[in-house]
mmCIF file of all heavy atoms in Angstrom:
data_model
loop_
_atom_site.group_PDB
_atom_site.id
_atom_site.type_symbol
_atom_site.label_atom_id
_atom_site.label_comp_id
_atom_site.label_asym_id
_atom_site.label_seq_id
_atom_site.Cartn_x
_atom_site.Cartn_y
_atom_site.Cartn_z
ATOM 1 N N ILE A 436 -22.070 5.669 -9.293
ATOM 2 C CA ILE A 436 -21.736 5.082 -10.582
ATOM 3 C C ILE A 436 -22.875 5.301 -11.578
ATOM 4 O O ILE A 436 -22.656 5.678 -12.739
ATOM 5 C CB ILE A 436 -21.460 3.575 -10.436
ATOM 6 C CG1 ILE A 436 -20.291 3.321 -9.459
ATOM 7 C CG2 ILE A 436 -21.189 2.938 -11.790
ATOM 8 C CD1 ILE A 436 -18.988 3.935 -9.879
ATOM 9 N N ASP A 437 -24.100 5.072 -11.117
ATOM 10 C CA ASP A 437 -25.264 5.226 -11.988
ATOM 11 C C ASP A 437 -25.571 6.692 -12.279
ATOM 12 O O ASP A 437 -26.100 7.022 -13.350
ATOM 13 C CB ASP A 437 -26.499 4.571 -11.356
ATOM 14 C CG ASP A 437 -26.382 3.061 -11.270
ATOM 15 O OD1 ASP A 437 -25.638 2.473 -12.083
ATOM 16 O OD2 ASP A 437 -27.026 2.464 -10.381
ATOM 17 N N HIS A 438 -25.265 7.556 -11.324
ATOM 18 C CA HIS A 438 -25.543 8.992 -11.471
ATOM 19 C C HIS A 438 -24.285 9.771 -11.082
ATOM 20 O O HIS A 438 -24.234 10.395 -10.019
ATOM 21 C CB HIS A 438 -26.731 9.395 -10.596
ATOM 22 C CG HIS A 438 -27.967 8.581 -10.832
ATOM 23 N ND1 HIS A 438 -28.785 8.772 -11.927
ATOM 24 C CD2 HIS A 438 -28.496 7.548 -10.134
ATOM 25 C CE1 HIS A 438 -29.781 7.908 -11.884
ATOM 26 N NE2 HIS A 438 -29.629 7.158 -10.818
ATOM 27 N N PRO A 439 -23.271 9.754 -11.919
ATOM 28 C CA PRO A 439 -21.981 10.354 -11.546
ATOM 29 C C PRO A 439 -22.067 11.878 -11.380
ATOM 30 O O PRO A 439 -22.517 12.584 -12.270
ATOM 31 C CB PRO A 439 -21.066 9.970 -12.704
ATOM 32 C CG PRO A 439 -21.981 9.680 -13.854
ATOM 33 C CD PRO A 439 -23.226 9.130 -13.256
ATOM 34 N N THR A 440 -21.633 12.328 -10.206
ATOM 35 C CA THR A 440 -21.647 13.752 -9.877
ATOM 36 C C THR A 440 -20.397 14.047 -9.054
ATOM 37 O O THR A 440 -19.450 13.267 -9.040
ATOM 38 C CB THR A 440 -22.910 14.116 -9.075
ATOM 39 O OG1 THR A 440 -22.949 13.310 -7.882
ATOM 40 C CG2 THR A 440 -24.167 13.870 -9.888
ATOM 41 N N MET A 441 -20.405 15.138 -8.340
ATOM 42 C CA MET A 441 -19.237 15.537 -7.563
ATOM 43 C C MET A 441 -19.112 14.792 -6.239
ATOM 44 O O MET A 441 -18.090 14.914 -5.567
ATOM 45 C CB MET A 441 -19.272 17.045 -7.292
ATOM 46 C CG MET A 441 -19.146 17.895 -8.543
ATOM 47 S SD MET A 441 -19.171 19.667 -8.176
ATOM 48 C CE MET A 441 -19.197 20.364 -9.829
ATOM 49 N N VAL A 442 -20.108 14.021 -5.841
ATOM 50 C CA VAL A 442 -20.027 13.338 -4.543
ATOM 51 C C VAL A 442 -18.952 12.265 -4.538
ATOM 52 O O VAL A 442 -18.431 11.902 -3.485
ATOM 53 C CB VAL A 442 -21.383 12.738 -4.133
ATOM 54 C CG1 VAL A 442 -22.417 13.833 -3.937
ATOM 55 C CG2 VAL A 442 -21.877 11.724 -5.154
ATOM 56 N N LYS A 443 -18.660 11.690 -5.702
ATOM 57 C CA LYS A 443 -17.602 10.706 -5.890
ATOM 58 C C LYS A 443 -17.640 9.620 -4.818
ATOM 59 O O LYS A 443 -18.692 9.089 -4.481
ATOM 60 C CB LYS A 443 -16.233 11.385 -5.929
ATOM 61 C CG LYS A 443 -15.994 12.232 -7.168
ATOM 62 C CD LYS A 443 -15.862 11.385 -8.415
ATOM 63 C CE LYS A 443 -15.559 12.211 -9.644
ATOM 64 N NZ LYS A 443 -14.328 12.978 -9.541
ATOM 65 N N ASP A 444 -16.470 9.318 -4.236
ATOM 66 C CA ASP A 444 -16.340 8.174 -3.343
ATOM 67 C C ASP A 444 -16.560 8.538 -1.877
ATOM 68 O O ASP A 444 -16.251 7.763 -0.989
ATOM 69 C CB ASP A 444 -14.955 7.547 -3.516
ATOM 70 C CG ASP A 444 -14.979 6.040 -3.502
ATOM 71 O OD1 ASP A 444 -15.767 5.446 -4.230
ATOM 72 O OD2 ASP A 444 -14.195 5.453 -2.744
ATOM 73 N N SER A 445 -17.082 9.732 -1.633
ATOM 74 C CA SER A 445 -17.375 10.269 -0.293
ATOM 75 C C SER A 445 -16.150 10.334 0.622
ATOM 76 O O SER A 445 -16.283 10.442 1.843
ATOM 77 C CB SER A 445 -18.508 9.492 0.391
ATOM 78 O OG SER A 445 -18.083 8.272 0.942
ATOM 79 N N SER A 446 -14.952 10.307 0.038
ATOM 80 C CA SER A 446 -13.745 10.352 0.867
ATOM 81 C C SER A 446 -13.575 11.688 1.573
ATOM 82 O O SER A 446 -12.929 11.763 2.627
ATOM 83 C CB SER A 446 -12.514 10.044 0.016
ATOM 84 O OG SER A 446 -12.511 8.689 -0.379
ATOM 85 N N ALA A 447 -14.133 12.759 1.001
ATOM 86 C CA ALA A 447 -14.063 14.054 1.685
ATOM 87 C C ALA A 447 -14.753 13.975 3.043
ATOM 88 O O ALA A 447 -14.252 14.492 4.051
ATOM 89 C CB ALA A 447 -14.707 15.137 0.817
#
Side-chain angles (χ1 to χ4, degrees):
I436 301 299
D437 293 334
H438 306 283
T440 58
M441 295 181 186
V442 297
K443 291 291 183 59
D444 221 51
S445 79
S446 290

